[in-house]
Amino acid sequence: MYPEEIVIPMKSELTESGFEEMLTAADVDETLQKKGTTLVVVNSVCGCAAGSCRPGVLMAVHNATKKPTRLATSFAGFDIEAVNKIREHLLPYPPSSPAIALFKDGKLVSMIERHQIEGRPAQVLAQYLIHEFEQYCN
């Protein structure tokens, strides 16, 4: 488990932009069963989370014309119970952090794994997410 003083600033990058924290398994189930679209970011301390994932997600959310109904996040290595539950909902994808998933009416419709985040500019992730929002969000 990562120390709180390291994790909190990384969490705040998303929570200050409207992402709800899912801290327990119950939070995850409650959030994902809601109607509409939910963008879930499994946040992480790694460099690709800081350099590509979080900035790309924020660019997409701030610049898309169609947006998810809800924005949610949990932190790998810190929000253990919630991340384990998210990973159940992400099957058959293997555990990945960071990861970005889009759910529609509780069903996984789009997934970006760590290997698709590493080495890619934030702008590329943002463009991909905006495309997914156009396809799945109202």
Side-chain angles (χ1 to χ4, degrees):
M1 185 178 225
Y2 297 111
E4 187 173 345
E5 58 272 10
I6 292 174
V7 171
I8 297 303
M10 293 179 210
K11 283 182 160 211
S12 68
E13 282 185 64
L14 296 179
T15 59
E16 289 176 1
S17 290
F19 281 76
E20 287 182 40
E21 286 191 276
M22 298 183 294
L23 303 175
T24 67
D27 291 344
V28 172
D29 285 339
E30 181 182 326
T31 299
L32 295 184
Q33 73 182 359
K34 293 178 181 175
K35 291 284 184 195
T37 51
T38 305
L39 182 67
V40 175
V41 176
V42 178
N43 205 344
S44 174
V45 298
C46 71
C48 63
S52 296
C53 183
R54 291 190 299 269
V57 165
L58 292 174
M59 277 185 232
V61 168
H62 293 304
N63 293 303
T65 53
K66 290 186 177 182
K67 299 179 184 189
T69 311
R70 274 169 301 290
L71 306 172
T73 185
S74 294
F75 207 97
F78 193 79
D79 302 323
I80 308 292
E81 179 184 335
V83 171
N84 287 341
K85 183 52 101 172
I86 291 168
R87 288 178 173 161
E88 289 177 21
H89 289 275
L90 296 178
L91 290 171
Y93 291 96
S96 178
S97 58
I100 308 163
L102 184 63
F103 291 84
K104 182 168 186 165
D105 298 331
K107 295 183 187 208
L108 180 65
V109 294
S110 182
M111 175 71 175
I112 303 174
E113 300 173 84
R114 179 189 177 111
H115 71 87
Q116 296 166 305
I117 296 169
E118 288 178 303
R120 290 196 171 65
Q123 295 85 348
V124 170
L125 288 174
Q127 288 175 335
Y128 179 79
L129 286 169
I130 289 169
H131 174 268
E132 295 299 278
F133 297 168
E134 289 291 323
Q135 185 172 350
Y136 296 108
C137 301
N138 295 329

